[in-house]
Amino acid sequence: MVPTNQSGSYYVGLETPMQFCPGVGPKRASLFAKLNINTVGDLFWHIPRGYEDFHTICPIRQLRPGQVGTVVGTVSQTECRVPRSASKVYNLLHVVLDDASGSLTAVWFNQPYLAEKIHRGTRLLVHGKVDVYDGYLQMNAPKHQIIEGPLETGILPLYPLTEGLTQAFVRKVVQAAFARYSSFCEENLPLSLLKKKQYPERKLAFRIMHQPAPGEGAPTEAPTPPGDPRQQKRGSGQRAFEGVGLPPTPWELARRRLVFEEFFIHQLVLRAYLGKSNTLTGISHPMPEPSPWGERCLLDVAEPRHWPAWFIWNLPYTLTDDQQTVCREFEANLHAAQPMNRLLQGDVGAGKTVVSFYAMMLAVAGGRQAVMMAPTELLAQQHAENLRRYADGIPRLQIEVLTGSQKTKERREVLERIATGTASIVVGTHALFQDDVQFARLGLVVVDEQHKFGVNQRQRLVAKGETPDLLVATATPIPRTLSLTLFGDMEVSTIRALPPGRPQLITRWTQWSKEEKVWEFIDGLIAQGQQVYVVCPIIEPSENAPHLPSTEEAFEKLSKTFLPHRRVAVLHGRQATDEKSALMQRMKAGAIDVVVATTVIEVGVDLPNATVMVVLGAERFGLAQLHQLRGRVGRGTKKSYCVLITPDRVGVIARQRMRCLEQTRDGFVIAEEDLKLRGPGEHFGTRQSGHLNFRLADPFEDSMLLHEAHQDAHAIYQRDPGLDDPEFITLKKELFRLYGDFIERRPS
Ligand code: ADP
Ligand code: MG
C-alpha cells in the first residue's frame, strides 16, 4: 500500500506520518505521538538526551581499577544470594564473566529479573566503573546488554522515551527511518551562513546526532576520561562556548547548527511579524515645550505643548533618575519618525504607570489620541482615576474608560467620543479590541502588564491606528535573552531602582498547622490601624480540590473564628464592577480591615496603607505571580509583611519558590529563578502567542546562538524582507511549515 493523505496525494519524505515509518504501524505511532512525534521529520528532531559509549570494547585484562570500561564475555557462573540484613530482605546477583584474557565479576543489587535472563553461557556486554573486591576485578551494577544477535556497538543514542517504547525499539526505528528518508533532508540555511559558521549540512547534522561515530565528540554518559575538556557536562549558560579554546567537535557543530536553525527561523518570523517598524514611517510627535526637565516657568494649560511639563511638575513626588531617563527615551522615540516599539520593564511598584502616563501626555500634546490597555477592570478604573487626578486642571483633556461591563448606551457614547476624537485618552480592558472601537487619530498604544496579553492582541490594537507608537509595560522583568526571543527587536527601557522611602518588606512562609498564630499576629497589626489582603486561589470550595482554600471559606473562617471583631470583606472577579470599585473606595477610606480576594488584586492595585499580604494555598501560585501579589504591599511608609501559607507538606519546587521569596525582593533575581523552575515556555502567555516551541534550542543555555541568529536574521531581513531570493526557497518553506498559522493570523 502506498500511503496517501486525505486529499489523495502521496506523503513525501519527512512529512510521512509515523505510522508508515518502517516497523511502526498505527498502534506504536500513537506512542510516538505522546512524545510529540507525528512525522518522520519530527522523529529526526527527536534528539538523544545522551549517548552510551560501547565502541571501545577491551579485553578484560586491560581493565584498570577506577576507570570505566566496556567488555564482552561469556558467563561462567551466576549466583543469586538473598542475604538477610537486619530488617530487609534483598537480592544480590553475582555473575562471573570470562573472555580470552581474564575474568570479571559483575554484581547487581535487587534486580531479581536479571537472574532469570542471565545464565551460564550467556554472552554479555557490560559497561561500568571497575573496582577491585577481594582481589578480583568487579563492576557494580554495570550497564549491560545480553547479546543474542549481532553485537550493538558504537556510540548508542539514549532517547527520551515514553511508556511502551523501549530504547532498543526507538533506536531501531530511527535507524530505519534515517536509512529510508534522510535523502529528503533539504538544506534550509543559506549556504553563505553555513560556510561562515562551518556548520555541517542539515542531513549530516542529523546523522551525527543520531549515529555519531567514535571521535566525533558526542558526549557519552560515562565520566569523561581525564584530558578531554571538550566533553563537559551541560551546565548553566552558554555551554557551547566554554570549550576553553579548543575547536568545537563535529558533534558540537552539528548541535549548534540545529539550535541555530530553530532560533534563526524564529527570529525571521518575529521580524516579519513584529519588526516591520524600521521600514515604516510613523508619527513624529512634537517635543514638549518647555521641557519638563529644565527650569520651571509659567505654563499656559490652554497650550497642549505645555501639558507634559504641567503633568510632571504637578506630580505629588519627584520622578527618580531612572524614571526621568525613561521619560526622555520616550520623548526621543516619539519625536522620531520611526514608530516606537518599546518595552518598559521594572519591578512591581517601580513606578511604571506614571511614566506610561507621561508617554500618553506627549502623544496628546501633539494632538493625537492615546490608548492604554489594562489587564483588569479594576486596574483600568484605577489608572483613569489617577490620570484624572494628575492631569487635573488641563482643559479639554478628556479621559475615557472602556470596559466590558459598561451598559450599551454608555458604551455607545464612549465609542462616539473616541471616534470623533473628543476623547484624548482611553483607558480600557479587552473591550478595546472589538471592531466597533475606532479612533479618530490614534497616536500611541500603551499596553500595561504585558504578560496578560498575547502578541496577537497587542497587534490588533496597533492596527486601529496608522502606525501608532507602541509602549509595552511589564512588571515581571524579562531577561534580555527572553525579551529577544519574545519580542525580537523591541527596544527596552528599564526602571531599576524603586522610588525612595520604600519600607521594609518581610516575607515568611508557614504552614496551615500554624495558622492561628498568623491571624493573632495580624490582629495585632490591624490594632495599629494597618490593612490586610488575604488572597485565595479560588472563589468557592471545589469538590475536585477539597483542600484548596477559597475566598468563601476564608471569609467565613476569618469573620467567625479568627477575626470576628474586625471588618472583613470579599473581592473577586465575579462581582459587578460597581461593587468592586465601591469596595476599593471603602478600603481606601479605611473602613475595611481585611479584604479576602482572588488574584484580581494581583496587578497594579495600589493602596499605600495595606501592609500585610497573606497568600493561602501559596503552593498553587507561580513564583512571578507571588512576587506580583506581594508587590501590593510595602508601597506606603510602614514596614510590611507577606505571609505565604501552604499545606504542611509541599513538593520540592514549591518549597524552592517559597524560599526564594523569603530570601529576595529583587524582581530580576526572581524572574531568573522562575525561568529555571518553570522553563521559558510557561512565561507570560508565551504559549498563547505561539512562541517557543523549540525542539532542541534553549534560549538560556544557548543564548549566544540566539544572539547570533538574531543578528543574522536581521541582516537577511534588511537585504530581502520577502525572502524572495531563490537561495531562501527551502528556508521559506520550513518557516511556513513551522509558523504558517501564526503568520497568517497577522493583521495586515
Ligand atoms: P508599577 O506600575 O511599576 O508597579 P506604580 O506606577 O503603580 O508601579 O507605582 C507604585 C507607587 O509608587 C504608586 O503609588 C506611585 O504613585 C508611586 N510612585 C511612582 N513613582 C514615584 C516616585 N518617583 N516617588 C514616589 N512615589 C512614586
Ligand atoms: Mg503598574
Side-chain angles (χ1 to χ4, degrees):
M1 182 182 81
V2 179
T4 55
N5 65 17
Q6 279 157 349
S7 58
S9 54
Y10 301 119
Y11 285 117
V12 187
L14 304 190
E15 296 297 320
T16 307
M18 277 309 285
Q19 119 176 55
F20 302 119
C21 191
V24 179
K27 224 168 102 202
R28 275 160 165 163
S30 68
L31 295 175
F32 278 103
K34 283 193 194 154
L35 292 168
N36 233 343
I37 300 171
N38 299 305
T39 63
V40 169
D42 295 340
L43 186 68
F44 285 7
W45 275 106
H46 192 51
I47 304 298
R49 58 177 168 76
Y51 302 85
E52 286 178 314
D53 184 357
F54 287 165
H55 91 278
T56 35
I57 293 171
C58 72
I60 290 176
R61 237 163 85 110
Q62 284 179 15
L63 291 178
R64 291 289 168 267
Q67 289 191 352
V68 173
T70 312
V71 295
V72 174
T74 308
V75 175
S76 62
Q77 271 182 51
T78 68
E79 185 184 2
C80 195
R81 292 184 211 156
V82 187
R84 280 177 192 280
S85 75
S87 58
K88 275 189 224 133
V89 179
Y90 60 97
N91 166 307
L92 206 57
L93 174 67
H94 274 250
V95 169
V96 178
L97 199 65
D98 300 328
D99 71 4
S101 72
S103 64
L104 166 86
T105 312
V107 180
W108 287 276
F109 188 71
N110 272 348
Q111 300 195 24
Y113 63 93
L114 270 184
E116 287 162 28
K117 295 201 294 186
I118 299 177
H119 308 284
R120 267 190 70 157
T122 306
R123 286 241 304 149
L124 197 62
L125 175 149
V126 289
H127 169 94
K129 188 160 165 259
V130 183
D131 285 325
V132 180
Y133 194 79
D134 274 353
Y136 292 95
L137 292 176
Q138 175 166 323
M139 283 187 189
N140 287 312
K143 287 180 185 293
H144 73 284
Q145 222 186 87
I146 294 169
I147 302 162
E148 282 157 351
L151 181 61
E152 264 195 89
T153 57
I155 301 188
L156 303 184
L158 290 164
Y159 290 104
L161 300 173
T162 186
E163 208 177 310
L165 290 179
T166 64
Q167 197 60 258
F169 178 70
V170 177
R171 280 176 189 163
K172 220 170 70 190
V173 172
V174 175
Q175 283 217 343
F178 202 78
R180 181 176 296 186
Y181 297 104
S182 63
S183 55
F184 293 100
C185 243
E186 288 176 305
E187 181 52 64
N188 54 20
L189 292 179
L191 292 180
S192 51
L193 270 184
L194 274 191
K195 226 166 131 192
K196 188 174 90 187
K197 296 172 186 294
Q198 300 187 325
Y199 287 156
E201 283 196 12
R202 199 160 193 257
K203 179 176 157 187
L204 177 59
F206 280 124
R207 200 279 291 145
I208 295 177
M209 284 293 127
H210 294 291
Q211 303 164 357
E216 285 181 331
T220 53
E221 289 226 315
T224 313
D228 187 0
R230 279 185 302 202
Q231 288 191 3
Q232 284 180 346
K233 262 193 98 172
R234 288 186 166 199
S236 57
Q238 296 149 36
R239 60 179 167 222
F241 294 82
E242 288 171 3
V244 273
L246 289 175
T249 61
W251 185 87
E252 180 54 34
L253 279 175
R255 193 191 72 82
R256 283 186 203 173
R257 186 238 128 88
L258 293 173
V259 169
F260 180 87
E261 178 187 317
E262 283 195 284
F263 282 145
F264 180 66
I265 290 177
H266 182 252
Q267 289 294 320
L268 279 173
V269 171
L270 283 183
R271 286 259 147 214
Y273 186 72
L274 305 169
K276 289 177 292 181
S277 42
N278 40 15
T279 54
L280 294 172
T281 325
I283 304 157
S284 168
H285 304 267
M287 291 295 277
E289 275 269 0
S291 165
W293 322 111
E295 286 281 300
R296 295 206 180 188
C297 56
L298 268 181
L299 294 176
D300 174 8
V301 286
E303 171 53 62
R305 284 229 181 174
H306 290 197
W307 292 354
W310 169 274
F311 176 83
I312 294 294
W313 294 347
N314 224 20
L315 286 174
Y317 41 77
T318 316
L319 293 186
T320 62
D321 289 349
D322 281 356
Q323 283 173 317
Q324 292 194 23
T325 308
V326 168
C327 286
R328 284 158 169 258
E329 284 168 351
F330 295 166
E331 285 172 6
N333 256 188
L334 288 171
H335 184 59
Q338 278 187 357
M340 175 165 84
N341 188 21
R342 189 171 277 277
L343 182 72
L344 168 61
Q345 64 173 7
D347 207 352
V348 208
K352 295 181 296 298
T353 312
V354 70
V355 296
S356 313
F357 287 168
Y358 180 67
M360 297 205 285
M361 295 307 295
L362 291 171
V364 296
R368 301 286 174 156
Q369 290 170 298
V371 60
M372 181 183 237
M373 164 95 185
T376 65
E377 279 197 51
L378 209 55
L379 209 54
Q381 298 286 358
Q382 184 185 292
H383 284 337
E385 200 180 297
N386 285 334
L387 197 50
R388 284 188 185 121
R389 191 151 41 89
Y390 292 154
D392 188 29
I394 301 180
R396 292 185 292 123
L397 183 78
Q398 176 106 17
I399 297 163
E400 301 283 351
V401 176
L402 190 77
T403 67
S405 69
Q406 279 160 331
K407 305 253 157 37
T408 321
K409 179 160 172 281
E410 190 187 350
R411 180 182 166 85
R412 205 180 320 121
E413 287 166 7
V414 175
L415 289 181
E416 172 84 19
R417 289 194 292 269
I418 298 175
T420 55
T422 329
S424 322
I425 292 180
V426 187
V427 186
T429 57
H430 285 82
L432 288 167
F433 294 140
Q434 320 243 307
D435 289 336
D436 56 1
V437 183
Q438 296 196 353
F439 290 84
R441 35 173 210 290
L442 182 60
L444 172 68
V445 174
V446 178
V447 180
D448 194 25
E449 311 295 354
Q450 151 69 20
H451 62 290
K452 297 281 161 186
F453 306 104
V455 178
N456 292 324
Q457 291 176 313
R458 189 215 294 167
Q459 254 6 56
R460 267 169 78 177
L461 212 49
V462 167
K464 289 182 185 292
E466 275 176 46
T467 60
D469 291 282
L470 174 65
L471 175 64
V472 171
T474 177
T476 316
I478 303 179
R480 172 74 183 142
T481 313
L482 193 58
S483 79
L484 206 58
T485 327
L486 294 179
F487 306 112
D489 236 14
M490 271 189 139
E491 287 179 280
V492 180
S493 291
T494 305
I495 306 179
R496 218 161 254 280
L498 296 181
R502 284 290 153 88
Q504 203 185 352
L505 169 63
I506 295 172
T507 300
R508 284 292 167 265
W509 166 38
T510 187
Q511 293 81 23
W512 285 118
S513 52
K514 296 171 201 137
E515 181 184 19
E516 203 172 332
K517 285 224 179 80
V518 173
W519 302 122
E520 261 175 47
F521 170 71
I522 283 173
D523 192 43
L525 293 174
I526 298 174
Q528 298 167 21
Q530 313 202 8
Q531 291 171 304
V532 182
Y533 293 113
V534 176
V535 174
C536 305
I538 50 176
I539 299 175
E540 292 162 1
S542 150
E543 272 178 27
N544 300 333
H547 303 297
L548 215 53
S550 61
T551 51
E552 234 172 59
E553 283 170 323
F555 176 73
E556 280 282 311
K557 188 162 73 177
L558 293 180
S559 53
K560 297 227 168 92
T561 314
F562 292 112
L563 301 168
H565 50 296
R566 301 298 180 193
R567 295 161 299 176
V568 184
V570 178
L571 177 72
H572 57 70
R574 280 197 225 146
Q575 285 161 327
T577 316
D578 296 351
E579 198 180 337
K580 278 188 277 190
S581 38
L583 204 135
M584 292 307 288
Q585 290 306 335
R586 276 166 59 212
M587 186 89 182
K588 262 186 199 165
I592 292 173
D593 301 311
V594 181
V595 185
V596 180
T598 53
T599 52
V600 284
I601 59 152
E602 176 189 348
V603 280
V605 173
D606 193 21
L607 288 175
N609 203 40
T611 56
V612 188
M613 163 71 56
V614 184
V615 185
L616 306 182
E619 76 284 0
R620 284 315 186 100
F621 298 102
L623 194 47
Q625 200 176 15
L626 287 169
H627 180 60
Q628 285 273 326
L629 279 169
R630 174 169 70 169
R632 300 303 111 218
V633 298
R635 306 191 135 221
T637 50
K638 288 187 215 129
K639 183 167 170 180
S640 301
Y641 301 90
C642 170
V643 185
L644 307 166
I645 305 186
T646 69
D648 288 34
R649 299 188 54 173
V650 293
V652 187
I653 297 212
R655 211 164 348 160
Q656 264 172 280
R657 280 191 209 133
M658 303 303 142
R659 291 261 175 262
C660 172
L661 288 164
E662 282 188 324
Q663 282 160 11
T664 182
R665 196 181 168 183
D666 183 331
F668 282 84
V669 174
I670 290 170
E672 296 275 2
E673 183 69 22
D674 195 30
L675 283 162
K676 269 192 240 152
L677 294 178
R678 291 201 299 174
E682 303 279 322
H683 234 58
F684 327 93
T686 47
R687 272 174 309 183
Q688 300 96 289
S689 55
H691 286 182
L692 297 179
N693 294 319
F694 299 131
R695 292 243 179 211
L696 179 62
D698 173 334
F700 294 88
E701 295 282 352
D702 300 307
S703 57
M704 296 285 273
L705 289 171
L706 172 60
H707 285 263
E708 280 184 24
H710 173 74
Q711 279 164 6
D712 291 319
H714 178 78
I716 286 195
Y717 190 81
Q718 292 279 312
R719 187 153 53 95
D720 183 1
L723 299 179
D724 296 322
D725 190 304
E727 184 186 18
F728 302 133
I729 287 177
T730 49
L731 177 64
K732 212 163 154 180
K733 211 163 78 183
E734 184 72 357
L735 193 147
F736 272 91
R737 198 179 68 75
L738 289 172
Y739 294 97
D741 291 353
F742 185 59
I743 296 168
E744 273 149 34
R745 272 185 279 127
R746 152 186 150 190
S748 48

